[in-house]
Amino acid sequence: MLIFKKIYPAVIGFTVLIAVWQTATLLGGYNPALFPPPLSVVSGLWELIREDILTKAIVHSLGRFFAGYVAAAALGLVLGLYFGYFHNAWRFVNPIIQFLRPISPIAWLPFVVLWFGIGDIPAVVIVFIAAFFPILLITVSSVSKIDRNYLKVAKNFGLSPLDVFIKIILPAAFPHMTSGLHIAIGTAWVFIVAGEMVGAQSGLGFLIVDARQNMRADLLMAAMVVIGLLGLALDGIFGMAEKRIYAKWGMTKK
């Protein structure tokens, strides 16, 4: 019963979306080759599954995504903890970060291709850029908001810098740091397709380019549906993990 209460809003929402989609194709007079109805997309999706194209595309995209995301998380968390604690150093770095952050990862694509060539690396780098900034900024904010009185007390008790980090800074900041990791999941997944559309010979982004070049709008739409479902799944999985972390720390996450 509890599971039903959680999923029924999503079921109703997607049912309405599909109904609107089907109605638009029927009443809009669109060419099915340009705007395929839901059943055509399902048929195209089954074609991709049957020919073992979709599974390989998903595996390649997820591999590139997690490679870029994990690298961004590792560097973003380390630098965020450092600059959050040494706030004077952050004052010099923050203007540079705020200058680079608004630049879309897509804008870096020409340089990334020139520097690293075609293949897997451009997609990984684009995901890294998209995920790095939210993780870094939220980590810095989480650490800088720790009550400095706790650090003073720890210093008075003679705790080493390592003990202060392990026993005070990390436990106090970590639950909030997970918010940055969660936000970065969605941000980075948006750009994995763009990274794969330039030079990659596999993955969901390449699948979209290939479908467009072959005028297969049904396959193109099927790839878009899969991208959306995978993004929803990633967000849901990390959201559940985030709630567990908050519960372990005695916090609430709405």
Side-chain angles (χ1 to χ4, degrees), residues 65-66 69 131 180-190 231 234-235 238:
F65 170 77
F66 282 113
Y69 178 81
L181 294 170
H182 191 176
I183 291 171
I185 284 276
T187 304
W189 183 248
V190 168
L234 289 170
D235 181 78
F238 202 96

Side-chain angles (χ1 to χ4, degrees), residues 15-40:
T15 301
V16 172
L17 176 63
I18 293 172
V20 172
W21 177 5
Q22 179 65 40
T23 302
T25 59
L26 290 175
L27 302 180
Y30 299 106
N31 187 336
L34 301 178
F35 185 36
L39 287 179
S40 295

Side-chain angles (χ1 to χ4, degrees), residues 4 32 115 141 153 157 173 178 190 195 214 228 230:
F4 176 75
W115 297 335
S141 176
V153 171
F157 276 96
T178 59
V190 168
N214 289 286
L230 287 175

Side-chain angles (χ1 to χ4, degrees), residues 59-122:
V59 169
H60 289 146
S61 290
L62 287 177
R64 293 166 184 143
F65 170 77
F66 282 113
Y69 178 81
V70 170
L75 185 60
L77 291 175
V78 170
L79 292 179
L81 289 168
Y82 176 83
F83 288 120
Y85 184 72
F86 297 103
H87 203 67
N88 287 332
W90 176 243
R91 291 170 56 195
F92 294 94
V93 176
N94 185 40
I96 300 173
I97 297 298
Q98 298 301 336
F99 169 75
L100 294 173
R101 181 174 63 90
I103 301 175
S104 171
I106 303 300
W108 292 100
L109 262 177
F111 293 104
V112 171
V113 172
L114 288 174
W115 297 335
F116 300 103
I118 60 175
D120 293 339
I121 300 300

Side-chain angles (χ1 to χ4, degrees), residues 109-222:
L109 262 177
F111 293 104
V112 171
V113 172
L114 288 174
W115 297 335
F116 300 103
I118 60 175
D120 293 339
I121 300 300
V124 173
V125 173
I126 292 303
V127 169
F128 173 88
I129 295 172
F132 174 73
F133 292 107
I135 294 174
L136 173 66
L137 292 172
I138 293 181
T139 303
V140 170
S141 176
S142 301
V143 176
S144 62
K145 289 179 179 178
I146 297 174
D147 192 337
R148 295 289 163 171
N149 289 327
Y150 295 149
L151 303 180
K152 292 178 181 178
V153 171
K155 185 177 181 180
N156 292 336
F157 276 96
L159 269 68
S160 67
L162 182 61
D163 286 333
V164 171
F165 173 78
I166 294 175
K167 296 179 179 180
I168 296 178
I169 295 177
L170 193 57
F174 184 71
H176 300 288
M177 288 158 53
T178 59
S179 296
L181 294 170
H182 191 176
I183 291 171
I185 284 276
T187 304
W189 183 248
V190 168
F191 289 101
I192 181 64
V193 174
E196 290 179 335
M197 291 175 76
V198 180
Q201 297 300 312
S202 61
L204 295 169
F206 172 76
L207 191 59
I208 287 178
V209 173
D210 187 61
R212 182 190 64 191
Q213 291 176 343
N214 289 286
M215 297 296 292
R216 290 292 305 273
D218 55 337
L219 300 186
L220 193 155
M221 190 75 78

